[in-house]
Amino acid sequence: MVRRPVAWIVALVLFAEALGVLAVNWFLGVVVDRQDMSLAGLDPDVMSASSKAGGVVFGLYFGLCGLVALLVALRDRAPAGFGKVLLISAAVVHALLGAFAWGLIGWTAFLLMVVVLALIVLLLMTYDGRPEGPEPVDAGAPVSPPAAPTAP
């Protein structure tokens, strides 16, 4: 019942997060480039380029995770193989980001990361591999012949 809506919500959240991470890192790269200041002797151009590259990499990562969640929502089937690994890794990343956010930013950022983590885990747990509905018939099971008619 709640499987498809959760998958849609996870897909939307991960796409929004991908755009947000990309935009924030790109903005930070532009700020570092315009400041033209060095941090501990590092070249500002290298810092700017690495911030932009990190934003692109993590934006693509979260976008790919969002694509997996979107395919789960469209097909109404559990993620399999690489898609399941991607969603599990996204859950681990959000748990780590939540832990860092608590110490560095505050409880509101922690709460946001925990909500996203909970949505991803809910998506993974609602598609547990068991099909809904009646038990499937095993095609390899021997079939008993019908009973012979009895004479009156």
Side-chain angles (χ1 to χ4, degrees):
M1 254 189 296
V2 299
R3 296 186 327 178
R4 279 188 127 167
V6 168
W8 281 107
I9 291 170
V10 169
L12 290 175
V13 166
L14 287 174
F15 285 138
E17 191 170 13
L19 288 175
V21 166
L22 178 66
V24 166
N25 280 333
W26 198 270
F27 174 73
L28 289 175
V30 169
V31 167
V32 167
D33 194 31
R34 290 190 181 163
Q35 289 282 324
D36 202 27
M37 295 171 62
S38 164
L39 178 67
L42 294 174
D43 184 22
D45 294 331
V46 173
M47 290 177 16
S48 173
S50 63
S51 176
K52 291 176 183 177
V56 168
V57 168
F58 275 104
L60 289 175
Y61 168 70
F62 286 132
L64 189 60
C65 292
L67 180 66
V68 170
L70 180 67
L71 290 175
V72 167
L74 290 174
R75 295 177 181 167
D76 198 22
R77 288 192 323 205
F82 186 65
K84 190 171 192 172
V85 170
L86 268 176
L87 288 176
I88 291 171
S89 70
V92 170
V93 165
H94 281 87
L96 291 172
L97 285 175
F100 288 126
W102 179 272
L104 297 175
I105 300 170
W107 67 271
T108 54
F110 169 77
L111 187 63
L112 180 67
M113 288 297 115
V114 169
V115 166
V116 177
L117 169 65
L119 284 171
I120 294 172
V121 170
L122 184 62
L123 170 69
L124 289 168
M125 296 303 291
T126 54
Y127 287 96
D128 61 354
R130 283 180 263 151
E132 287 186 345
E135 288 286 321
V137 177
D138 186 15
V143 179
S144 60
T150 57

